[in-house]
Amino acid sequence: CVTTTLSAATAGLVSVAIEYLMSHVWDVMAVGNGILGGLVSITAGCVVVDPWASIVIGFIGAFVLKGASMLLVKLKIDDPLDAFAVH
């Protein structure tokens, strides 16, 4: 339970920080999608991962989420909720 929460919280904070650094706007959707991305990132190994590693997984998951979201925009694929990028 602790690893899941740490990964989700880290991904949410990093996602909103990335969004703010790129667009200078505090985006609530970035927080929500970041949390979901962190949850997806940690799901497979949450039982065997140490707490410090779950923070790293959430951090990496936030960058994967942002990269996938930017790729969808570049390819002109319509995904207004970033559901593909989250999963």
Side-chain angles (χ1 to χ4, degrees):
C1 183
V2 171
T3 56
T4 306
T5 305
L6 285 173
S7 179
T10 302
L13 291 173
V14 171
S15 291
V16 76
I18 293 169
E19 189 66 34
Y20 181 75
L21 290 173
M22 294 183 76
S23 66
H24 301 289
V25 174
W26 295 107
D27 188 7
V28 176
M29 193 169 89
V31 177
N33 282 339
I35 291 170
L36 290 173
L39 291 171
V40 170
S41 299
I42 195 68
T43 296
C46 64
V47 175
V48 295
V49 173
D50 291 327
W52 67 267
S54 67
I55 293 171
V56 173
I57 290 170
F59 187 83
I60 293 169
F63 281 97
V64 170
L65 169 66
K66 186 60 179 174
S69 178
M70 291 172 60
L71 180 64
L72 288 175
V73 171
K74 179 122 177 121
L75 296 175
K76 297 181 181 178
I77 297 173
D78 185 28
D79 188 8
L81 298 178
D82 279 340
F84 173 80
V86 167
H87 293 95

